[in-house]
């Protein structure tokens, strides 16, 4: 069993961070993992992405051309990665910043208003956590409690951040889990 | 020690420290800046010294000087920076000094780009610097293997009194994977004493003079022959390679090294599921190159495919190994573009089609 995902957005949205959290959590869960960032001449505001592979056996290629899932937080990322997702795969779209409908009909589309939810929670920088939660809910790539454990460790000593980010994760998770059941809201 | 999720660059730095290296001299260049960054904060913690030199030329000559003291010394850079170090590397080979040099390759030639490449194979394995010398060259395919090979590199350098190069690409440097450092690590070679080290003369032994200048041609020829004997010993004793999927019969043998071999391993799995018979041979030492292993593995295939992030450099060594007994095909990506499992699979199928046609014609 292998889960692989490309997480993409603007530099500064925290896409590399949630990729790392996912990889840490996969490792904690006893899985084999790899985390591969794009590292072109990028800057804040430009697009960036990372590829995370979580597998039951040693990870072969850390480079994934056709991922089982793409988590896209902005429009340029949707443009770039929508065509790449494996047929039957998952396309998770941040509808707060992406105002066009995905064109693919052979993938499961999960729409997450990540920024709006994060704003609701008074944690505007937590949109990435909402998105990660939704990915976890839709795929169960790693169980939510394990990811929460990693969040607690990563932000240790910053209680407010821990609480806010776990709340964001859970809101996203509920959305993703519901979408998985087929009840896309 | 428990498994840690680390960037390849950080794992390489930590491995050097675990191997007892306390001296690093370097100059920043993308995509390996995390190595000097890591060394700059870790070395002071363990009583070591980190020096950011004014250039790669300076860094490599500091390495040369420090190696002469018998200490375990280390530098890292990326392609253009490694070019600048070539003079000092040749001097260290000539003066028979152990040192570890990590090259996290980026695309060239010239300043090129900052993305992954394997374009420095020739430079690493066939010289690079001037004169008749060889480097031991090790090519990791994972972060764990990078950590293991860096530690081995220090042992091999000490054993042979020769610089050792660890040749990775931008992917190895940038990606994160779980790594485990063995607490009770046994050196991969016996570690000889270093009577040659220049540690300060107190009149109690012959003077230790570090030099690569031999103006008497007869003396220099003897020196060259001694070096050659050492390189022959490496060829005899140090060849390392791994295979994937070759325990079952295969029609196409893919030869690839480093992270490209990782990509190919996934292609092998996918192709096998489709019933396509394919196997992978991965050289771990690029010098010495596993000629015998490639020759033997190629004989069991109908055709050989070499995949590299270059225009075809290791391909020449594969051709030497196969020596015309099988067709050798090449597929390469350049400029920082990567090869994918899908692209690999397509190439393999193409070759099979071609081979089938030739067989029917024949």
């Amino acid at each position: 069993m292998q889960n692989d995902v490309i997480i993409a957005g603007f530099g500064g949205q925290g896409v590399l961070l949630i990729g790392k959290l996912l990889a840490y959590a996969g490792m904690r869960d006893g899985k084999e993992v790899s985390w591969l960032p794009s590292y072109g001449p990028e800057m804040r505001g430009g697009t960036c992405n990372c590829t995370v592979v979580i597998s039951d056996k040693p990870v072969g290629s850390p480079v994934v051309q056709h991922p089982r899932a793409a988590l896209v937080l902005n429009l340029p990322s949707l443009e770039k990665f929508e065509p790449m997702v494996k047929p039957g795969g998952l396309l998770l779209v941040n509808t707060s910043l992406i105002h066009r409908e995905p064109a693919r009909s052979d993938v499961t589309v999960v729409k997450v208003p990540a920024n709006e939810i994060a704003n609701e929670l008074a944690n505007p920088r937590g949109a990435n956590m909402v998105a990660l939660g939704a990915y976890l809910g839709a795929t169960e790539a790693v169980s939510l409690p394990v990811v929460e454990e990693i969040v607690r460790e990563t932000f240790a000593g910053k209680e407010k951040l821990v609480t806010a980010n776990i709340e964001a994760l859970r809101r996203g998770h509920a959305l993703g889990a519901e979408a998985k059941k087929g009840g896309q809201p | 020690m428990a498994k840690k999720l680390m960037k390849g660059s950080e794992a390489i730095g930590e491995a050097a420290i675990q191997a007892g290296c306390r001296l690093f001299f370097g100059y920043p260049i993308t995509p390996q800046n995390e190595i000097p960054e890591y060394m700059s904060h870790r070395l002071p913690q363990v009583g070591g010294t980190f020096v950011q030199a004014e250039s790669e030329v300076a860094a490599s000559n500091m390495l040369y000087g420090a190696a002469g003291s018998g200490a375990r010394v280390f530098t890292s850079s990326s392609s253009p920076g490694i070019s600048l170090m070539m003079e000092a590397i040749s001097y260290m080979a000539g003066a028979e000094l152990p040192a570890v040099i990590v090259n996290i390759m980026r695309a060239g030639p010239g300043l090129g780009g900052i993305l992954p490449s394997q374009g420095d194979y020739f430079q690493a394995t066939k010289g690079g610097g001037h004169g008749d010398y060889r480097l031991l060259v090790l090519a990791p395919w994972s972060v764990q293997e990078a950590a293991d090979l860096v530690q081995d590199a220090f042992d091999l350098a000490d054993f042979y009194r020769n610089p050792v190069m660890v040749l990775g690409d931008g992917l190895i440097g940038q990606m994160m994977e779980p790594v485990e450092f063995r607490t009770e690590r046994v050196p991969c070679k016996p570690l000889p004493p270093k009577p040659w080290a220049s540690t300060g003369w107190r009149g109690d032994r012959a003077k230790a003079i570090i030099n690569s200048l031999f103006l008497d041609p007869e003396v220099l020829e003897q020196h060259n022959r001694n070096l050659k004997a050492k390189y022959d010993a490496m060829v005899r004793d140090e060849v390392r390679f791994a295979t994937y999927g070759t325990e079952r019969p295969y029609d196409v043998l893919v030869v690839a090294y480093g992270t490209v071999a990782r990509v190919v391993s996934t292609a092998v799995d996918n192709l096998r599921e489709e019933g396509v018979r394919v196997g992978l041979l991965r050289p771990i030492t690029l010098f010495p190159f596993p000629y015998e292993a490639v020759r033997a593995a190629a004989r069991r295939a109908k055709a050989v495919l070499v995949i590299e992030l270059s225009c075809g450099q290791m391909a020449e060594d594969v051709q030497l190994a196969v020596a015309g007994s099988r067709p050798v095909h090449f597929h390469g990506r350049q400029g920082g573009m990567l090869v994918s499992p899908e692209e690999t699979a397509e190439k393999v199928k193409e070759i099979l089609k071609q081979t089938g046609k030739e067989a029917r014609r024949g």
Side-chain angles (χ1 to χ4, degrees):
Chain A
M1 178 63 195
Q2 176 166 313
N3 277 295
D4 44 62
V5 56
I6 292 182
I7 306 173
F10 288 125
Q13 278 185 308
V15 302
L16 297 185
L17 174 69
I18 57 173
K20 274 186 202 175
L21 294 175
L22 182 61
Y24 273 113
M27 187 173 85
R28 182 67 55 86
D29 220 12
K31 304 269 174 56
E32 301 283 349
V33 298
S34 71
W35 173 89
L36 179 70
S38 62
Y39 73 95
E42 271 127 9
M43 53 183 175
R44 197 167 294 257
T47 60
C48 75
N49 69 76
C50 64
T51 305
V52 178
V53 181
I54 301 174
S55 178
D56 293 332
K57 55 180 199 129
V59 176
S61 177
V63 180
V64 179
Q65 192 176 23
H66 298 295
R68 287 170 171 80
L71 201 165
V72 294
L73 294 183
N74 67 356
L75 184 61
S77 300
L78 177 70
E79 305 283 353
K80 185 168 176 189
F81 293 110
E82 180 180 5
M84 311 288 230
V85 179
K86 227 176 218 170
L90 172 74
L91 179 62
L92 205 144
V93 182
N94 177 15
T95 51
S96 301
L97 298 183
I98 301 170
H99 303 297
R100 83 156 169 82
E101 285 292 316
R104 294 275 296 269
S105 56
D106 59 344
V107 296
T108 306
V109 175
V110 175
K111 295 176 181 172
V112 185
N115 293 73
E116 282 149 48
I117 293 174
N119 288 341
E120 251 174 58
L121 298 172
N123 178 17
R125 289 171 64 193
N128 58 343
M129 294 293 171
V130 176
L132 174 61
Y135 170 73
L136 294 170
T139 60
E140 291 297 331
V142 186
S143 75
L144 184 61
V146 178
V147 181
E148 289 184 7
E149 191 181 308
I150 298 294
V151 168
R152 276 191 202 96
E153 286 168 22
T154 306
F155 301 104
K158 298 170 185 162
E159 265 328 293
K160 266 174 126 176
L161 258 182
V162 170
T163 317
N165 282 329
I166 286 183
E167 213 181 339
L169 266 177
R170 287 181 182 169
R171 277 290 293 275
H173 190 274
L175 243 174
E178 205 171 317
K180 190 188 180 192
K181 276 186 281 175
Q184 166 77 45
Chain B
M1 230 195 244
K3 271 193 183 179
K4 275 178 81 176
L5 193 65
M6 284 181 106
K7 253 195 177 188
S9 288
E10 294 168 347
I12 285 168
E14 183 58 32
I17 287 167
Q18 300 279 332
C21 168
R22 293 293 177 271
L23 298 170
F24 180 95
F25 312 92
Y27 187 79
I29 182 170
T30 307
Q32 61 80 55
N33 285 319
E34 290 85 348
I35 301 177
E37 185 189 9
Y38 189 85
M39 297 309 268
S40 71
H41 91 261
R42 274 288 280 143
L43 276 173
Q45 291 173 356
V46 293
T49 301
F50 167 88
V51 180
Q52 179 170 324
E54 66 270 37
S55 70
E56 287 88 346
V57 174
S60 55
N61 282 287
M62 290 175 186
L63 194 76
Y64 178 23
S69 75
R72 288 198 149 181
V73 296
F74 169 40
T75 190
S76 66
S77 190
S78 179
S79 310
I82 294 289
S83 289
L84 287 168
M85 294 181 174
M86 276 301 151
E87 182 191 41
I89 290 172
S90 165
Y91 279 45
M92 281 187 273
E96 294 193 82
L97 292 180
V100 173
I101 300 127
V102 171
N103 180 4
I104 300 295
M105 292 179 281
R106 57 187 253 180
L111 274 178
I114 62 172
L115 293 174
S117 160
Q118 296 181 320
D120 303 349
Y121 180 94
F122 284 153
Q123 185 193 51
T125 62
K126 313 286 181 196
H130 59 278
D132 234 347
Y133 79 94
R134 293 287 195 174
L135 298 179
L136 264 160
V137 184
L138 312 173
W141 85 332
S142 67
V143 174
Q144 178 68 58
E145 195 174 59
D148 294 340
L149 290 182
V150 165
Q151 296 183 71
D152 288 356
F154 282 98
D155 299 336
L156 290 162
D158 278 345
F159 183 81
Y160 287 105
R161 284 182 62 185
N162 204 71
V164 176
M165 181 171 278
V166 176
L167 195 65
D169 58 57
L171 281 184
I172 276 283
Q174 295 293 325
M175 75 179 170
M176 285 178 95
E177 288 188 312
V179 190
E180 194 170 8
F181 290 97
R182 281 160 291 168
T183 37
E184 298 286 318
R185 184 181 169 275
V186 181
C188 74
K189 300 298 280 189
L191 301 178
K194 298 178 172 176
W196 49 264
S198 190
T199 53
W201 188 67
R202 286 170 294 274
D204 53 350
R205 58 164 168 80
K207 285 183 177 168
I209 297 166
I210 309 283
N211 189 18
S212 71
L213 180 68
F214 301 86
L215 287 174
D216 182 337
E218 282 176 23
V219 174
L220 181 51
E221 186 177 51
Q222 190 51 52
H223 179 55
N224 287 135
R225 286 178 179 164
N226 295 345
L227 291 179
K228 171 73 162 65
K230 204 163 75 170
Y231 306 143
D232 287 346
M234 293 176 191
V235 168
R236 189 185 63 227
D237 297 334
E238 304 305 339
V239 171
R240 299 190 197 184
F241 64 93
T243 54
Y244 190 85
T246 54
E247 65 287 346
R248 289 193 277 169
Y250 52 88
D251 297 320
V252 176
L253 175 73
V254 183
V255 185
Y257 71 96
T259 51
V260 177
R262 285 279 288 279
V263 173
V264 174
S265 75
T266 294
V268 168
D269 286 346
N270 295 345
L271 284 166
R272 285 279 185 185
E273 262 172 46
E274 292 176 37
V276 179
R277 306 187 334 159
V278 57
L280 163 69
L281 189 148
R282 167 174 82 91
I284 297 171
T285 52
L286 301 181
F287 180 83
F289 187 80
Y291 290 107
E292 278 306 323
V294 172
R295 187 185 343 258
R299 287 228 171 95
R300 294 165 51 202
K302 292 187 177 117
V304 178
L305 169 63
V306 183
I307 304 187
E308 292 175 74
L309 300 181
S310 78
C311 291
Q313 299 192 10
M314 181 181 70
E316 292 190 5
D317 279 325
V318 174
Q319 271 164 343
L320 273 177
V322 174
S325 70
R326 295 290 180 279
V328 176
H329 302 263
F330 175 74
H331 180 64
R333 296 299 299 262
Q334 303 86 22
M337 298 300 288
L338 299 174
V339 65
S340 67
E342 289 82 359
E343 202 176 324
T344 304
E346 249 171 62
K347 204 72 206 168
V348 167
K349 286 177 185 168
E350 234 172 73
I351 288 167
L352 276 173
K353 231 189 222 169
Q354 218 174 308
T355 316
K357 265 187 209 153
E358 276 158 18
R360 279 195 295 280
R361 264 207 307 272

